Amino acid sequence: MDTPVSQDVTRKTLESVVIRFAGDSGDGMQLAGTQFTQTSAVAGNDLSTFPDFPAEIRAPAGTLFGVSGFQLHFASKEILTPGDDPDVLVAMNPAALKVNLAEIPTGSFIIINSGAFTKSNLKKAGYESNPLDDGSLDAYRVLSIDISRLATAAAEPSGVGAKSALRTKNVWTLGLLYWLFDRDRTSTTEWLKQKFAKKPELAEANIAALDAGHAYGETAELPVGVELYKVPQAKLPAGTYRNIEGNTALAWGIAAAAKLSGTKIMFGSYPITPASSVLHALAPLKHFGVTTFQAEDEIAAVCSAIGASWAGAVGVTSTSGPGMALKGEAIGLAVMIELPLVILDVQRAGPSTGMPTKTEQADLFQALYGRNSDAPLCVLAPKSAGDCFTMAIEAVRIATKYMTPVILLSDGFIANGAEPWSIPDFADLPKIEVRHHTDTKDFHPYVRDPETLARVWPVPGTPGLEHRVGGLEKDFKSGHISYDPDNHHKMTQVRAGKIMGIANDIPEQDVEIGESSGKLAMVSWGSTYGAVNEAVRRARADGKDVSQIHIRYMWPMPRNLEALLSNYEQIIVPELNAGQLVKVLRSEYLLPAQSLPKVAGRPFRVGEVLDAIDEALAGKESN
Amino acid sequence: MVPLDPPAAKKLTKKDFTSDQEVRWCPGCGDYAILAAMQRTLPELGATREKSVFISGIGCSSRFPYYMDTYGFHTIHGRAPAFATGVKLVNPELDVWLITGDGDGLSIGGNHLLHVLRRNVNVQVMMFNNRIYGLTKGQYSPTSLVGLKSPSSPMGSIDAPVNPLAFALGANARFVSRGIDTMIKPLSGLFKEAHAHTGTSFIEILQNCPVFNDGTWTHVTAKDISHDLQVWVEHGQPLLFGKDKNKGLVLTGEEVKVVTVGENGVTEADVTVHDETNRAMAFALAQLMAPEFPMVFGVIFRDPGPAYDEGVVAQVAQAVERNGEGDIDALLRSGHTWTVE
C-alpha cells in the first residue's frame, strides 16, 4: 500500500546517511555524487566520499565492469570514512544493481531507474529474470521509477535532442534526492548554469530535469517505508570550510610552499592515474611561482625536477606506483648528490598496471627501499585529503632543509575522496627558510651544516662557486670523485645519519585516541586513518582497552615511537597491502606487531577493523 | 635568483675553463681534442665560468663536465636532456652544453634526445659518436655498423645502425651539424655557430676510440683521403669538395650524384647550392656515408624557431600579468566555502 506524502509531512531526523550512486560509466554518477557532496557541504554536514570508477573512460554500456560508483557519507556528527554500508542505493541500470546489491543491507532504500531495465540490459547484467518483478528485492524498500522517460520529458522542451534529454537522468535523480533529504537546489542550479554557459539550452534542460525530479518527490505517492529525511548541520569547529580532494590539496600545498619558501617550484610530471589531477591543478597556478612541465615519460619528469633543484628551484614530481619504479634510479641520484626533491606518489593497486583506479598502500617498501644500494630518504604520509596540504608543505621544508628527496605517499582513496576542510590562513602557515650558498671561501659542494649534515646549496650562475656534481661517490672532505673504501663507508653513514637526524625535527608520536599504554594499539598510516579512528572510537565506547596511533612520518619514524609502542600488550597494523609497515615496525623495533592486511582495491570498512579489535581483545581475555 | 651578471671584464683564457681534475680518458682518445676545442672556444665566445653549464649522461664522453672549470652535472645514463630541460626552465640565462655519446644519446637516451630536439630547448647538444660502447668495454652501439664483431656480437652485429643526423632531422631539430674530433678549428667554429643558435643545436662529432673501435672513421678522416670524402657545406655555396674543389654534389629529386666540374660538360653552376633551411635537402645529405659517398660536415640544417624554455617563461609571465602574483588565501577560498560560527 502506498502512502501519500506532502510538503507538510514532518521529516525524520537522521544523524548520518550513506548514499551510493551507481550507474554506467557514462551515466554521470560521479557528477551526481559530487553535486550532492557540494550541496551537503553547503548544508553544513560533515562528509566523506569514495568515488569508485572503472579505468575505462567509457566502458561498453550496460556491462558489469562498466559500473561507476560514488559513495557519499554525510552527517550531523564528525565522520572520517565514506561509510561501510549504504543506506540508499541509486541504481541507474541492472548492472549497477547487480554489482552493488550484495553490499546493501536488507531494509535499505533503493532507487531504481526502471526505464533502463530492458531485456537487453538485463541480459548484459546476467539477470535471467527482471529483479523488479521476481520478488528478489522484497527485502528492500524500493522506489522504482522510469527516470529515463521522466527526465527526457522534462528536458526535451528546452530544445535539446532526445539523446541529450535522456542524459539528464542523473540530474533528475539528484532533484528527487534533494527533495527526499531536504537539500537546497541552488548550488547545483548555479553550477549547471556555469558549466553550460556556452550552451544555455543544455543548462535549461538540466535545470528542468533537476526541478522535475524534485517536483516528482513533492507530488508523487511514495511507497511505504520511504520517508522524508533531514540531516542537520554538523557541529564542526568554527572556521571557514570548503570541500577538498587530496590531489587538489597536494597541488595547493605545493603552491603554498613556493610562496612560503620564496623559492620557485618546478613541477615535472607525466600523466598517470590517479596522480594526473595534481598536474591539472598546478598547471593553472603559474602565477604562484610554479612552473609545470609535462615530460615525455616518468623518468624525464623526475630528472627535470632534479635538474631544476640543481639550478636552485625546488623540483617536485608526481606519480603512482609504476612511475615510482621508473623514477628509482634518478631518485638515487638525488640521494647521492644531495638535492631537494619532492616525489608525490599517489598509490594505486598493483603490482604492474594492477587496478589503476583502485586504491592501495603498497608502495611503502618501494618508497623506503626501492633504489639500488643504500639510498635512504625521507617518507611522509598524509592521513586525509586536507592533510595532503599540510604534508606537501612539510615535504618541501624537509627537502630543502636537509637537501634530500622526500617521498610523500598519498593514495587513490585520499586523492579522489572529498572532505570538508577548515581553510588555514596563509599568515599562520610555517615559513620555509631556503638558503642558497653564496660564500666562496673554502667552498666545495659538500660543505655540510654540522648540525643537520645537509650540504650547501650552491646555484649555477653564482660566480666563484663553479663545481661539478654527479652520481659518482665523492670525497667527504673535498667533494671530488673518490673510490676510497673508507670514504665510501663514511659517506654512506653520513647520508643515512642525515636522514635519521630528521627525527629530531619532527613531532614526537602522539596517541590519536586512547592511552599511551594498554592492551591494544591499532597503528594506522595514511588513508587508513579514518576507518581505524572510527573503529577505535566505537570499541572504546564499548569499554574496550584500545588506542589508535597514527603515523604520518614513515621515515625516519618519530623518535619516541619504539618506546610508545612497547607500552602496549598487542599491536595491530591495519594497512591496504599485504603487510608492509608491520614488517618495518617488527624489523626496526623487534616488536611483535600483527598485520591486518587488506588488498581489495578499497579502503577498510570500519566493521573490518572493529572485528579485528574484538578478536584481539577476546583472544587476550581467554588467555 | 642569484645575480647573473659577470663580475669583471677580465679576459678569460683556456686555462680558466680547465678544472684541476686529472683527465682520465685513454691515451689517444678523440675526447681530448674535443675538450681542448671547447676550452679554447669558450673564451672566444666571451663565455663566463659561472654561466656555463655542462650536463652529461653516462659513458666516456659524459666525464667531460669534470674537466671543465664551470658548473657541471654528471647525471644518469641517457637522461641528460631531461635534466638540462629542468635547468633551463628554472634559469634560461644559463648557457647549457649537453654532452652525450652514441650509446647514451641514441640507445638508452633516444627518447629524451628526441624530445629535447622537438621541443627546441635552448641548449647545445654535443654527441660524441665513436660507434662503440667504450666505458663498458667495447660492445656494439646503436651506430655500429652491421657486421661489427664485439664482445656482445662475436658473430658480427646484425643491428641496423641509426644515423644521428637523420634522427635529429626527423625529430624536427632546427640546428643539425657534424664535425670531427681532431679537426679542432672547424669544430670550434661549429661550437660557435651552435652557441649562437637559439633553440636546440645538435652537433654530431665523429670521434675515435683508440681502444675498442680504433679507426672507425679513418676512411673519412685520414688526411690523404679527407678532401675526397668530406664536403664542408656552407649556406648559399655550391656543394663542392676535393683537393681542387672540382668535385660536387648534385641533388635531383631524391637522388644524389657526385660529379666532377669540367668533365662531361659539368660546370660549377650544375652543382647544387646548399640551402641550410631546406630540411629535405639536409635529410638527403645526411644519408651520404663514406666510402660510397663523401660525408657532409658543417651546419647542414639551420632554421631557428621559438625556444621551449623561453615559451615556458613567457607563459609564466603572462599568467602573472593576467592574474597578478598568486594569493594563497584567495586560492584556498576559491569556489564554494562556508563558515561555521
Side-chain angles (χ1 to χ4, degrees):
Chain A
M1 202 176 80
D2 291 354
T3 315
V5 291
S6 80
Q7 196 144 17
D8 304 329
V9 142
T10 46
R11 288 179 176 271
K12 187 173 172 182
T13 301
L14 298 175
E15 194 179 37
S16 75
V17 174
V18 177
I19 300 182
R20 184 181 296 177
F21 295 87
D24 249 342
S25 30
D27 275 348
M29 292 297 96
Q30 301 303 319
L31 186 148
T34 41
Q35 279 306 305
F36 201 105
T37 303
Q38 195 57 57
T39 299
S40 299
V42 172
N45 295 137
D46 196 1
L47 54 89
S48 173
T49 71
F50 177 44
D52 188 18
F53 45 87
E56 293 77 14
I57 302 301
R58 291 275 184 277
T63 58
L64 294 174
F65 62 85
V67 172
S68 170
F70 187 104
Q71 186 160 313
L72 163 69
H73 187 188
F74 59 106
S76 60
K77 58 169 182 173
E78 190 191 354
I79 47 168
L80 295 165
T81 75
D84 285 4
D85 301 315
D87 303 304
V88 182
L89 171 69
V90 174
M92 295 304 282
N93 69 3
L97 182 68
K98 180 118 186 187
V99 166
N100 287 286
L101 195 63
E103 290 178 31
I104 309 299
T106 52
S108 295
F109 180 21
I110 303 179
I111 298 173
I112 285 176
N113 173 20
S114 61
F117 279 61
T118 60
K119 245 187 200 163
S120 116
N121 277 346
L122 287 164
K123 199 176 157 203
K124 275 189 218 164
Y127 278 117
E128 278 170 15
S129 62
N130 190 341
L132 300 181
D133 308 329
D134 66 7
S136 61
L137 299 176
D138 284 354
Y140 305 90
R141 293 176 288 148
V142 176
L143 184 53
S144 170
I145 307 166
D146 188 348
I147 297 173
S148 299
R149 184 177 60 79
L150 292 171
T152 304
E156 259 184 339
S158 304
V160 296
K163 218 171 157 188
S164 295
L166 177 62
R167 280 212 187 111
T168 64
K169 58 186 185 291
N170 59 337
V171 179
W172 191 98
T173 311
L174 198 55
L176 173 63
L177 285 163
Y178 281 178
W179 162 250
L180 291 171
F181 289 95
D182 197 22
R183 305 271 97 145
D184 187 14
R185 275 166 289 168
T186 318
S187 129
T188 296
T189 307
E190 289 306 313
W191 182 83
L192 286 167
K193 280 183 191 159
Q194 225 171 34
K195 180 176 164 74
F196 296 115
K198 284 184 184 154
K199 289 179 179 167
E201 71 281 4
L202 279 180
E204 198 186 309
N206 275 285
I207 293 166
L210 181 75
D211 292 344
H214 196 266
Y216 180 90
E218 284 178 71
T219 54
E221 295 186 349
L222 299 177
V224 166
V226 175
E227 296 166 284
L228 298 179
Y229 309 97
K230 63 177 173 187
V231 178
Q233 274 203 329
K235 287 180 196 67
L236 296 171
T240 303
Y241 284 79
R242 67 167 304 121
N243 271 339
I244 196 143
E245 287 123 20
N247 278 359
T248 311
L250 281 181
W252 289 1
I254 292 298
K259 290 280 176 188
L260 292 165
S261 64
T263 307
K264 212 187 272 187
I265 300 261
M266 212 298 284
F267 187 82
S269 186
Y270 184 74
I272 183 169
T273 302
S276 307
S277 54
V278 183
L279 174 60
H280 305 169
L282 272 171
L285 301 185
K286 294 178 172 53
H287 53 302
F288 285 80
V290 180
T291 296
T292 55
F293 170 57
Q294 182 179 310
E296 60 268 26
D297 62 24
E298 295 281 356
I299 298 171
V302 66
C303 292
S304 69
I306 297 170
S309 287
W310 184 67
V314 180
V316 182
T317 187
S318 61
T319 190
S320 188
M324 274 290 280
L326 287 167
K327 291 179 196 295
E329 185 195 10
I331 297 171
L333 175 73
V335 169
M336 188 63 158
I337 54 175
E338 303 184 44
L339 276 174
L341 172 69
V342 174
I343 304 114
L344 309 173
D345 176 6
V346 186
Q347 302 164 95
R348 68 190 214 189
S352 186
T353 308
M355 303 192 287
T357 57
K358 310 297 176 189
T359 197
E360 203 162 276
Q361 294 179 298
D363 289 353
L364 180 63
F365 280 171
Q366 183 171 224
L368 294 174
Y369 313 123
R371 291 162 295 285
N372 59 305
S373 191
D374 295 303
L377 44 65
C378 176
V379 182
L380 309 177
K383 65 177 181 182
S384 63
D387 197 35
C388 285
F389 180 81
T390 310
M391 291 307 257
I393 295 171
E394 178 70 342
V396 172
R397 179 188 78 87
I398 293 173
T400 51
K401 182 168 177 182
Y402 291 89
M403 297 292 281
T404 179
V406 176
I407 294 174
L408 185 151
L409 293 175
S410 177
D411 64 37
F413 174 50
I414 293 183
N416 295 315
E419 65 168 6
W421 180 52
S422 174
I423 306 171
D425 283 326
F426 180 69
D428 297 337
L429 298 173
K431 296 281 172 293
I432 299 172
E433 193 190 342
V434 167
R435 273 176 298 176
H436 287 147
H437 191 71
T438 49
D439 188 2
T440 55
K441 190 169 169 283
D442 298 329
F443 168 78
H444 72 78
Y446 286 84
V447 172
R448 291 176 193 277
D449 180 321
E451 200 180 310
T452 61
L453 295 180
R455 77 166 179 105
V456 291
W457 192 0
V459 174
T462 314
L465 299 185
E466 293 81 10
H467 66 273
R468 277 65 58 192
V469 290
L472 293 168
E473 184 62 285
K474 20 241 162 279
D475 181 64
F476 178 78
K477 289 194 188 108
S478 68
H480 289 318
I481 297 170
S482 167
Y483 283 83
D484 181 79
D486 292 340
N487 178 71
H488 179 53
H489 191 87
K490 176 171 183 150
M491 288 296 275
T492 302
Q493 284 178 323
V494 167
R495 285 187 286 267
K498 178 179 80 168
I499 298 303
M500 293 319 288
I502 297 170
N504 298 320
D505 196 15
I506 58 172
E508 288 206 344
Q509 181 64 52
D510 57 3
V511 178
E512 189 69 28
I513 320 168
E515 291 79 36
S516 55
S517 65
K519 285 210 169 85
L520 174 61
M522 299 299 287
V523 179
S524 52
W525 71 277
S527 70
T528 58
Y529 171 76
V532 174
N533 191 284
E534 182 68 31
V536 170
R537 271 176 208 277
R538 286 194 210 165
R540 290 179 62 82
D542 262 3
K544 302 266 166 61
D545 179 2
V546 55
S547 304
Q548 181 188 17
I549 291 171
H550 183 83
I551 306 176
R552 293 157 80 222
Y553 292 85
M554 309 310 296
W555 198 263
M557 293 194 285
R559 54 196 177 279
N560 64 325
L561 184 61
E562 180 177 8
L564 177 62
L565 289 178
S566 307
N567 294 338
Y568 299 91
E569 289 171 26
Q570 289 190 81
I571 300 163
I572 293 179
V573 185
E575 47 187 335
L576 300 178
N577 57 50
Q580 298 194 5
L581 176 63
V582 70
K583 289 196 184 71
V584 176
L585 295 176
R586 289 174 73 105
S587 68
E588 288 296 318
Y589 303 142
L590 295 176
L591 285 168
Q594 298 296 316
S595 181
L596 177 60
K598 177 173 182 178
V599 273
R602 291 172 161 214
F604 274 106
R605 295 158 59 95
V606 174
E608 290 165 340
V609 182
L610 206 47
D611 288 348
I613 294 172
D614 288 346
E615 198 180 318
L617 292 176
K620 202 72 192 171
E621 277 150 23
S622 65
N623 277 345
Chain B
M1 225 54 285
V2 292
L4 287 171
D5 293 321
K10 180 195 153 220
K11 185 120 175 83
L12 299 178
T13 64
K14 181 181 172 196
K15 208 171 150 235
D16 292 305
F17 287 97
T18 307
S19 80
D20 61 355
Q21 295 298 291
E22 190 188 338
V23 183
R24 296 190 188 185
W25 287 314
C26 305
C29 177
D31 292 359
Y32 282 95
I34 304 171
L35 177 66
M38 180 55 72
Q39 287 167 339
R40 200 172 89 174
T41 306
L42 287 184
E44 292 173 16
L45 285 170
T48 60
R49 294 169 57 229
E50 67 272 16
K51 272 200 202 173
S52 299
V53 170
F54 286 82
I55 300 179
S56 62
I58 294 292
C60 292
S61 61
S62 289
R63 295 294 180 99
F64 196 97
Y66 287 113
Y67 310 134
M68 298 295 301
D69 198 359
T70 61
Y71 281 92
F73 195 173
H74 181 214
T75 69
I76 51 176
H77 205 11
R79 323 296 177 196
F83 288 94
T85 302
V87 169
K88 288 295 283 189
L89 293 185
V90 171
N91 189 350
E93 285 188 48
L94 294 173
D95 190 10
V96 174
W97 300 81
L98 203 152
I99 312 294
T100 185
D102 43 314
D104 186 64
L106 286 169
S107 199
I108 190 167
N111 186 33
H112 308 298
L113 185 61
L114 160 72
H115 292 284
V116 78
L117 291 170
R118 60 115 180 148
R119 282 195 188 105
N120 205 31
V121 182
N122 196 8
V123 298
Q124 295 81 245
V125 179
M126 297 162 60
M127 173 179 285
F128 299 14
N129 183 8
N130 57 14
R131 307 208 278 197
I132 202 80
Y133 283 108
L135 204 58
T136 51
K137 298 196 182 352
Q139 301 83 356
Y140 65 98
S141 92
T143 55
S144 294
L145 294 178
V146 169
L148 182 82
K149 288 187 178 169
S150 80
S152 55
S153 58
M155 295 168 73
S157 166
I158 48 174
D159 275 34
V162 62
N163 177 329
L165 294 189
F167 175 89
L169 287 163
N172 273 348
R174 291 174 167 276
F175 181 105
V176 178
S177 66
R178 184 192 269 153
I180 295 169
D181 53 3
T182 50
M183 294 177 72
I184 293 188
K185 212 171 162 194
L187 190 58
S188 170
L190 277 185
F191 291 164
K192 289 177 190 168
E193 299 276 8
H195 186 262
H197 175 82
T198 300
T200 315
S201 1
F202 180 80
I203 314 170
E204 179 194 6
I205 305 170
L206 308 190
Q207 178 245 327
N208 190 44
C209 172
V211 175
F212 294 111
N213 207 15
D214 194 24
T216 187
W217 298 114
T218 310
H219 62 291
V220 198
T221 59
K223 284 242 159 41
D224 52 334
I225 50 140
S226 62
H227 287 299
D228 288 333
L229 286 163
Q230 295 175 18
V231 184
W232 286 83
V233 304
E234 207 176 319
H235 182 61
Q237 298 299 316
L239 295 163
L240 289 169
F241 63 103
K243 197 165 189 178
D244 303 320
K245 288 278 177 202
N246 65 337
K247 292 184 179 176
L249 296 178
V250 176
L251 276 71
T252 44
E254 286 160 21
E255 200 191 3
V256 182
K257 268 196 309 198
V258 175
V259 297
T260 306
V261 175
E263 279 178 15
N264 303 322
V266 173
T267 68
E268 196 176 306
D270 296 320
V271 175
T272 301
V273 170
H274 183 232
D275 175 4
E276 67 180 16
T277 66
N278 183 335
R279 194 177 290 274
M281 180 186 285
F283 196 78
L285 293 173
Q287 305 304 316
L288 305 180
M289 295 303 275
E292 296 79 12
F293 283 96
M295 288 171 69
V296 288
F297 293 89
V299 180
I300 292 142
F301 183 74
R302 172 160 43 195
D303 180 22
Y308 180 74
D309 38 326
E310 288 173 6
V312 170
V313 170
Q315 280 199 343
V316 171
Q318 199 185 359
V320 173
E321 196 180 309
R322 270 190 207 163
N323 311 304
E325 290 288 344
D327 176 345
I328 296 292
D329 282 321
L331 174 69
L332 302 188
R333 286 160 183 79
S334 56
H336 277 287
T337 63
W338 67 99
T339 302
V340 176
E341 301 294 336

